[in-house]
Amino acid sequence: MTGGVDESAGDAPAIQTVQRAATILQAFSVERPRLTLAELTADLAVSRATAHRYARALRAANLLRFDTATATYTLGPQVLAMEAAARAALPIVTAAEPHLDRLTRLTNQTSVLSVWNGEAPTVVRCMDNTSGDVRLSVRTGSPLDLLRSAQGRVFCAYLSAAEAPAVARQLRLSAGLRAVVEQVRRDGYAANSPEDFGVRVLAAPVFERTQVVAALAVLGTSTALSGAVEAAAADSLRLVARELSEALGAG
């Protein structure tokens, strides 16, 4: 403030620009991955021309993509890179690093750490197994299917209704999903189903105090990760997940 004039007033246009860009990006969700310009205009409560101008600027920054065949917008690749960077800054990634290394050495499989992004599991760290003939990996920032992935099933089993109301709703509607959840809670780990592209994944919950904060997983081919090898990997997975949970203060 100088001479009774608020110098921050000159920042108002820039602030409004950032707020509108954030409103556009936040309009996308798992339930609404594709939006038309009319829908973006309604969310912004501005003219169609103004919404188009913002959408064009976000496309130039690779934060939005436009599908000419359907005339819809989706989030762009730069959003995934930013999300991966944000997830990598989470304290749990640092805490989990030695446990991921231990799990990879115990199982001779790739180890993966995923967290809940509010709607689905997201991979935040992948430690590849480099000792075998086949090397499997998962890209950091990749979202995982809630019901088919082992990690998704772990979160279905342990998230509270307050944290994930959509999951709670699906549990009420699906007896099959409730049976899966009961099995995950009984066995202490989940498996992906079906085994997509010949890949087998086992995942176990990681707790901080009493709250599930991540899913720790082992990833291998369905041939390598089967029978007695799978049983041993599941034991190692539960052991390391429990050790990481204890390090985070779980009882």
Side-chain angles (χ1 to χ4, degrees), residues 163-189:
E163 293 172 286
V167 172
R169 183 168 59 252
Q170 292 192 58
L171 283 170
R172 288 195 301 271
L173 297 174
S174 173
L177 181 57
R178 290 196 298 273
V180 168
V181 162
E182 290 171 4
Q183 181 178 9
V184 173
R185 291 172 178 168
R186 182 179 65 248
D187 297 342
Y189 74 98

mmCIF file of all heavy atoms in Angstrom, residues 163-189:
data_model
loop_
_atom_site.group_PDB
_atom_site.id
_atom_site.type_symbol
_atom_site.label_atom_id
_atom_site.label_comp_id
_atom_site.label_asym_id
_atom_site.label_seq_id
_atom_site.Cartn_x
_atom_site.Cartn_y
_atom_site.Cartn_z
ATOM 1 N N GLU A 163 -13.711 -40.909 2.845
ATOM 2 C CA GLU A 163 -12.600 -40.639 1.931
ATOM 3 C C GLU A 163 -12.967 -40.933 0.482
ATOM 4 O O GLU A 163 -12.456 -40.289 -0.433
ATOM 5 C CB GLU A 163 -11.392 -41.493 2.315
ATOM 6 C CG GLU A 163 -10.759 -41.160 3.639
ATOM 7 C CD GLU A 163 -9.693 -42.181 4.005
ATOM 8 O OE1 GLU A 163 -10.037 -43.319 4.395
ATOM 9 O OE2 GLU A 163 -8.513 -41.837 3.879
ATOM 10 N N ALA A 164 -13.825 -41.911 0.273
ATOM 11 C CA ALA A 164 -14.155 -42.342 -1.088
ATOM 12 C C ALA A 164 -15.641 -42.699 -1.181
ATOM 13 O O ALA A 164 -15.998 -43.872 -1.236
ATOM 14 C CB ALA A 164 -13.286 -43.525 -1.491
ATOM 15 N N PRO A 165 -16.508 -41.696 -1.224
ATOM 16 C CA PRO A 165 -17.944 -41.976 -1.291
ATOM 17 C C PRO A 165 -18.353 -42.758 -2.536
ATOM 18 O O PRO A 165 -19.281 -43.565 -2.488
ATOM 19 C CB PRO A 165 -18.580 -40.584 -1.261
ATOM 20 C CG PRO A 165 -17.477 -39.636 -1.625
ATOM 21 C CD PRO A 165 -16.222 -40.261 -1.141
ATOM 22 N N ALA A 166 -17.644 -42.533 -3.659
ATOM 23 C CA ALA A 166 -17.976 -43.268 -4.885
ATOM 24 C C ALA A 166 -17.699 -44.761 -4.715
ATOM 25 O O ALA A 166 -18.453 -45.612 -5.211
ATOM 26 C CB ALA A 166 -17.179 -42.718 -6.063
ATOM 27 N N VAL A 167 -16.600 -45.088 -4.010
ATOM 28 C CA VAL A 167 -16.284 -46.488 -3.742
ATOM 29 C C VAL A 167 -17.345 -47.098 -2.835
ATOM 30 O O VAL A 167 -17.812 -48.227 -3.062
ATOM 31 C CB VAL A 167 -14.885 -46.619 -3.096
ATOM 32 C CG1 VAL A 167 -14.639 -48.046 -2.641
ATOM 33 C CG2 VAL A 167 -13.807 -46.178 -4.080
ATOM 34 N N ALA A 168 -17.733 -46.371 -1.805
ATOM 35 C CA ALA A 168 -18.765 -46.859 -0.888
ATOM 36 C C ALA A 168 -20.064 -47.133 -1.639
ATOM 37 O O ALA A 168 -20.752 -48.127 -1.362
ATOM 38 C CB ALA A 168 -18.987 -45.838 0.221
ATOM 39 N N ARG A 169 -20.382 -46.271 -2.595
ATOM 40 C CA ARG A 169 -21.611 -46.459 -3.377
ATOM 41 C C ARG A 169 -21.522 -47.732 -4.220
ATOM 42 O O ARG A 169 -22.489 -48.511 -4.290
ATOM 43 C CB ARG A 169 -21.842 -45.245 -4.261
ATOM 44 C CG ARG A 169 -23.135 -45.307 -5.066
ATOM 45 C CD ARG A 169 -23.462 -43.963 -5.700
ATOM 46 N NE ARG A 169 -22.399 -43.502 -6.584
ATOM 47 C CZ ARG A 169 -21.575 -42.506 -6.319
ATOM 48 N NH1 ARG A 169 -21.677 -41.850 -5.173
ATOM 49 N NH2 ARG A 169 -20.644 -42.143 -7.179
ATOM 50 N N GLN A 170 -20.363 -47.977 -4.851
ATOM 51 C CA GLN A 170 -20.202 -49.182 -5.657
ATOM 52 C C GLN A 170 -20.252 -50.438 -4.799
ATOM 53 O O GLN A 170 -20.769 -51.474 -5.237
ATOM 54 C CB GLN A 170 -18.890 -49.120 -6.433
ATOM 55 C CG GLN A 170 -18.886 -48.057 -7.521
ATOM 56 C CD GLN A 170 -17.716 -48.196 -8.471
ATOM 57 O OE1 GLN A 170 -17.536 -49.227 -9.106
ATOM 58 N NE2 GLN A 170 -16.905 -47.158 -8.565
ATOM 59 N N LEU A 171 -19.723 -50.350 -3.598
ATOM 60 C CA LEU A 171 -19.778 -51.498 -2.681
ATOM 61 C C LEU A 171 -21.223 -51.834 -2.316
ATOM 62 O O LEU A 171 -21.589 -53.009 -2.205
ATOM 63 C CB LEU A 171 -18.963 -51.217 -1.419
ATOM 64 C CG LEU A 171 -17.446 -51.345 -1.559
ATOM 65 C CD1 LEU A 171 -16.748 -50.796 -0.322
ATOM 66 C CD2 LEU A 171 -17.058 -52.809 -1.764
ATOM 67 N N ARG A 172 -22.035 -50.810 -2.136
ATOM 68 C CA ARG A 172 -23.446 -51.056 -1.808
ATOM 69 C C ARG A 172 -24.176 -51.725 -2.968
ATOM 70 O O ARG A 172 -25.062 -52.564 -2.753
ATOM 71 C CB ARG A 172 -24.149 -49.738 -1.459
ATOM 72 C CG ARG A 172 -23.749 -49.144 -0.108
ATOM 73 C CD ARG A 172 -24.727 -48.070 0.331
ATOM 74 N NE ARG A 172 -24.826 -46.966 -0.622
ATOM 75 C CZ ARG A 172 -24.035 -45.897 -0.581
ATOM 76 N NH1 ARG A 172 -23.104 -45.780 0.355
ATOM 77 N NH2 ARG A 172 -24.189 -44.928 -1.476
ATOM 78 N N LEU A 173 -23.788 -51.382 -4.191
ATOM 79 C CA LEU A 173 -24.500 -51.862 -5.363
ATOM 80 C C LEU A 173 -24.004 -53.207 -5.890
ATOM 81 O O LEU A 173 -24.722 -53.887 -6.619
ATOM 82 C CB LEU A 173 -24.397 -50.824 -6.492
ATOM 83 C CG LEU A 173 -25.041 -49.457 -6.218
ATOM 84 C CD1 LEU A 173 -24.738 -48.494 -7.360
ATOM 85 C CD2 LEU A 173 -26.543 -49.602 -6.018
ATOM 86 N N SER A 174 -22.763 -53.585 -5.556
ATOM 87 C CA SER A 174 -22.163 -54.772 -6.160
ATOM 88 C C SER A 174 -21.803 -55.836 -5.120
ATOM 89 O O SER A 174 -20.869 -55.657 -4.330
ATOM 90 C CB SER A 174 -20.901 -54.380 -6.943
ATOM 91 O OG SER A 174 -20.218 -55.524 -7.405
ATOM 92 N N ALA A 175 -22.525 -56.941 -5.150
ATOM 93 C CA ALA A 175 -22.203 -58.065 -4.267
ATOM 94 C C ALA A 175 -20.860 -58.673 -4.643
ATOM 95 O O ALA A 175 -20.107 -59.138 -3.780
ATOM 96 C CB ALA A 175 -23.305 -59.116 -4.350
ATOM 97 N N GLY A 176 -20.554 -58.664 -5.949
ATOM 98 C CA GLY A 176 -19.275 -59.204 -6.400
ATOM 99 C C GLY A 176 -18.107 -58.423 -5.842
ATOM 100 O O GLY A 176 -17.102 -58.996 -5.414
ATOM 101 N N LEU A 177 -18.217 -57.093 -5.835
ATOM 102 C CA LEU A 177 -17.147 -56.256 -5.292
ATOM 103 C C LEU A 177 -17.024 -56.456 -3.786
ATOM 104 O O LEU A 177 -15.912 -56.484 -3.252
ATOM 105 C CB LEU A 177 -17.411 -54.786 -5.612
ATOM 106 C CG LEU A 177 -16.354 -53.783 -5.136
ATOM 107 C CD1 LEU A 177 -14.984 -54.123 -5.693
ATOM 108 C CD2 LEU A 177 -16.751 -52.359 -5.523
ATOM 109 N N ARG A 178 -18.144 -56.614 -3.110
ATOM 110 C CA ARG A 178 -18.085 -56.869 -1.659
ATOM 111 C C ARG A 178 -17.363 -58.172 -1.368
ATOM 112 O O ARG A 178 -16.595 -58.271 -0.406
ATOM 113 C CB ARG A 178 -19.501 -56.891 -1.070
ATOM 114 C CG ARG A 178 -20.193 -55.534 -1.046
ATOM 115 C CD ARG A 178 -21.393 -55.526 -0.121
ATOM 116 N NE ARG A 178 -22.440 -56.461 -0.530
ATOM 117 C CZ ARG A 178 -23.407 -56.178 -1.395
ATOM 118 N NH1 ARG A 178 -23.453 -54.976 -1.961
ATOM 119 N NH2 ARG A 178 -24.329 -57.061 -1.695
ATOM 120 N N ALA A 179 -17.562 -59.186 -2.213
ATOM 121 C CA ALA A 179 -16.868 -60.468 -2.031
ATOM 122 C C ALA A 179 -15.367 -60.303 -2.239
ATOM 123 O O ALA A 179 -14.553 -60.888 -1.500
ATOM 124 C CB ALA A 179 -17.429 -61.505 -3.002
ATOM 125 N N VAL A 180 -14.984 -59.502 -3.240
ATOM 126 C CA VAL A 180 -13.565 -59.234 -3.484
ATOM 127 C C VAL A 180 -12.941 -58.537 -2.280
ATOM 128 O O VAL A 180 -11.847 -58.889 -1.826
ATOM 129 C CB VAL A 180 -13.391 -58.371 -4.756
ATOM 130 C CG1 VAL A 180 -11.963 -57.831 -4.852
ATOM 131 C CG2 VAL A 180 -13.719 -59.182 -5.992
ATOM 132 N N VAL A 181 -13.642 -57.536 -1.754
ATOM 133 C CA VAL A 181 -13.154 -56.776 -0.602
ATOM 134 C C VAL A 181 -12.979 -57.681 0.615
ATOM 135 O O VAL A 181 -11.978 -57.577 1.339
ATOM 136 C CB VAL A 181 -14.121 -55.611 -0.302
ATOM 137 C CG1 VAL A 181 -13.904 -55.072 1.104
ATOM 138 C CG2 VAL A 181 -13.936 -54.496 -1.323
ATOM 139 N N GLU A 182 -13.922 -58.549 0.834
ATOM 140 C CA GLU A 182 -13.814 -59.478 1.965
ATOM 141 C C GLU A 182 -12.591 -60.372 1.821
ATOM 142 O O GLU A 182 -11.887 -60.659 2.802
ATOM 143 C CB GLU A 182 -15.090 -60.320 2.068
ATOM 144 C CG GLU A 182 -16.311 -59.528 2.527
ATOM 145 C CD GLU A 182 -17.599 -60.325 2.401
ATOM 146 O OE1 GLU A 182 -17.517 -61.520 2.018
ATOM 147 O OE2 GLU A 182 -18.680 -59.763 2.665
ATOM 148 N N GLN A 183 -12.309 -60.804 0.576
ATOM 149 C CA GLN A 183 -11.145 -61.657 0.351
ATOM 150 C C GLN A 183 -9.849 -60.884 0.586
ATOM 151 O O GLN A 183 -8.895 -61.413 1.180
ATOM 152 C CB GLN A 183 -11.167 -62.215 -1.070
ATOM 153 C CG GLN A 183 -9.982 -63.147 -1.364
ATOM 154 C CD GLN A 183 -10.044 -63.729 -2.759
ATOM 155 O OE1 GLN A 183 -10.869 -63.330 -3.576
ATOM 156 N NE2 GLN A 183 -9.162 -64.668 -3.048
ATOM 157 N N VAL A 184 -9.808 -59.635 0.128
ATOM 158 C CA VAL A 184 -8.608 -58.806 0.330
ATOM 159 C C VAL A 184 -8.349 -58.620 1.823
ATOM 160 O O VAL A 184 -7.205 -58.752 2.289
ATOM 161 C CB VAL A 184 -8.771 -57.438 -0.358
ATOM 162 C CG1 VAL A 184 -7.616 -56.509 0.000
ATOM 163 C CG2 VAL A 184 -8.865 -57.601 -1.868
ATOM 164 N N ARG A 185 -9.385 -58.333 2.580
ATOM 165 C CA ARG A 185 -9.223 -58.141 4.020
ATOM 166 C C ARG A 185 -8.810 -59.436 4.715
ATOM 167 O O ARG A 185 -8.044 -59.412 5.683
ATOM 168 C CB ARG A 185 -10.524 -57.616 4.615
ATOM 169 C CG ARG A 185 -10.858 -56.182 4.190
ATOM 170 C CD ARG A 185 -12.241 -55.787 4.642
ATOM 171 N NE ARG A 185 -12.555 -54.396 4.279
ATOM 172 C CZ ARG A 185 -13.763 -53.870 4.342
ATOM 173 N NH1 ARG A 185 -14.791 -54.620 4.750
ATOM 174 N NH2 ARG A 185 -13.963 -52.619 4.003
ATOM 175 N N ARG A 186 -9.316 -60.553 4.224
ATOM 176 C CA ARG A 186 -8.972 -61.843 4.831
ATOM 177 C C ARG A 186 -7.528 -62.241 4.519
ATOM 178 O O ARG A 186 -6.782 -62.680 5.398
ATOM 179 C CB ARG A 186 -9.929 -62.920 4.325
ATOM 180 C CG ARG A 186 -9.675 -64.307 4.935
ATOM 181 C CD ARG A 186 -10.662 -65.333 4.432
ATOM 182 N NE ARG A 186 -10.512 -65.577 2.998
ATOM 183 C CZ ARG A 186 -11.410 -65.238 2.086
ATOM 184 N NH1 ARG A 186 -12.524 -64.607 2.443
ATOM 185 N NH2 ARG A 186 -11.197 -65.500 0.812
ATOM 186 N N ASP A 187 -7.117 -62.085 3.234
ATOM 187 C CA ASP A 187 -5.794 -62.532 2.815
ATOM 188 C C ASP A 187 -4.696 -61.499 3.077
ATOM 189 O O ASP A 187 -3.521 -61.847 3.135
ATOM 190 C CB ASP A 187 -5.801 -62.865 1.319
ATOM 191 C CG ASP A 187 -6.734 -64.030 0.988
ATOM 192 O OD1 ASP A 187 -7.097 -64.774 1.924
ATOM 193 O OD2 ASP A 187 -7.107 -64.173 -0.189
ATOM 194 N N GLY A 188 -5.092 -60.228 3.184
ATOM 195 C CA GLY A 188 -4.101 -59.181 3.406
ATOM 196 C C GLY A 188 -3.463 -58.660 2.138
ATOM 197 O O GLY A 188 -2.555 -57.828 2.185
ATOM 198 N N TYR A 189 -3.938 -59.119 0.977
ATOM 199 C CA TYR A 189 -3.434 -58.606 -0.292
ATOM 200 C C TYR A 189 -4.475 -58.866 -1.372
ATOM 201 O O TYR A 189 -5.415 -59.650 -1.187
ATOM 202 C CB TYR A 189 -2.093 -59.243 -0.672
ATOM 203 C CG TYR A 189 -2.178 -60.678 -1.150
ATOM 204 C CD1 TYR A 189 -2.187 -60.973 -2.516
ATOM 205 C CD2 TYR A 189 -2.239 -61.742 -0.260
ATOM 206 C CE1 TYR A 189 -2.263 -62.278 -2.974
ATOM 207 C CE2 TYR A 189 -2.308 -63.051 -0.698
ATOM 208 C CZ TYR A 189 -2.327 -63.314 -2.049
ATOM 209 O OH TYR A 189 -2.407 -64.604 -2.500
#
